[in-house]
Amino acid sequence: MIRFAANISLLFTELPLLDRIAAARDAGFDAVEILFPYDHDPALIRARLQHCGMPLALINTPAPDWQSGGRGSAALPGAEKRFQREFAYALEVAGALGAEKLHVMSGRAGGAAAKERLIANLHWACDAAAGLNLTIEPINTTDMPGYFLDDFDLAADVLDRVKAANLSLQFDAYHAARITGDPVATWARHGHRATHVQIADAPGRHEPGSGHIDFASFFARLEATGYRGYVSAEYHPADTTTRGLGWLRR
């Protein structure tokens, strides 16, 4: 049985953030994730999560310069001190929230130096966060131009180089569709590395059923391969969130 999470940074946005937790529960989701919870009081979020009985599946490492184009810092050559500061803050917030996983964002970079910096930073981060599961996620460069980790084979190579028990793949079916054209085949190649899955249909990044991804086949493949993590709805609703939840009820 697949367990579905709601990314409440994108879903139920007609409500204040704290109220989205109960909305996700009432809609039938099993957990929530929050992209960047850093502008909110973690004690209030934790209290609402506990009140609603909803786990927090995942948060991202900070990107304080997001509005000016920043997308994280783990792969930025020469920025290791910045990464360590941001990661330490992320660990503090993840602990306060009870987050199960922390997605380490690579940032905009390119070349061999960026790859080596990412690997070195991940080695350091995995040691610093021995009690927390970390993820890395390939993101397509149409949506996020210049993002370093833009390919599943590259992510696999990084994971093999780091070889840490608390580091795994974050697999987004939407990004797989944009990067490889075939999320099911990409899962067959790389799904054994994944501990967190996200979904949106392609090409519009709306709810499942709005595009060309065969989610029935994708979900069947997840179950057939024994995937036990969350599948998080991380999409932009085409209408209100609730009106677009037919895929979840099915």
Side-chain angles (χ1 to χ4, degrees), residues 167-208:
L167 180 67
S168 58
L169 179 67
Q170 183 170 318
F171 186 103
D172 190 311
Y174 168 77
H175 290 301
R178 299 302 298 265
I179 294 169
T180 73
D182 191 339
V184 175
T186 308
W187 180 264
R189 180 176 174 84
H190 295 291
H192 65 284
R193 304 175 184 275
T195 63
H196 190 74
V197 170
Q198 294 169 322
I199 55 170
D201 217 332
R205 203 178 181 182
H206 300 309
E207 47 270 281

Side-chain angles (χ1 to χ4, degrees), residues 67-145:
Q67 295 303 320
S68 60
R71 295 297 182 266
S73 59
L76 305 186
E80 54 267 31
K81 295 300 182 184
R82 171 190 163 184
F83 172 74
Q84 291 175 8
R85 287 193 305 270
E86 292 177 353
F87 188 81
Y89 180 42
L91 277 186
E92 178 184 342
V93 174
L97 293 172
E100 297 182 8
K101 290 184 174 63
L102 177 61
H103 168 218
V104 180
M105 297 200 67
S106 296
R108 286 189 164 113
K115 182 177 180 180
E116 294 307 312
R117 175 42 49 199
L118 176 60
I119 291 167
N121 279 338
L122 288 172
H123 273 297
W124 177 88
C126 289
D127 288 341
L132 183 65
N133 293 314
L134 310 181
T135 65
I136 55 173
E137 177 190 15
I139 297 176
N140 81 84
T141 53
T142 299
D143 285 38
M144 198 172 288

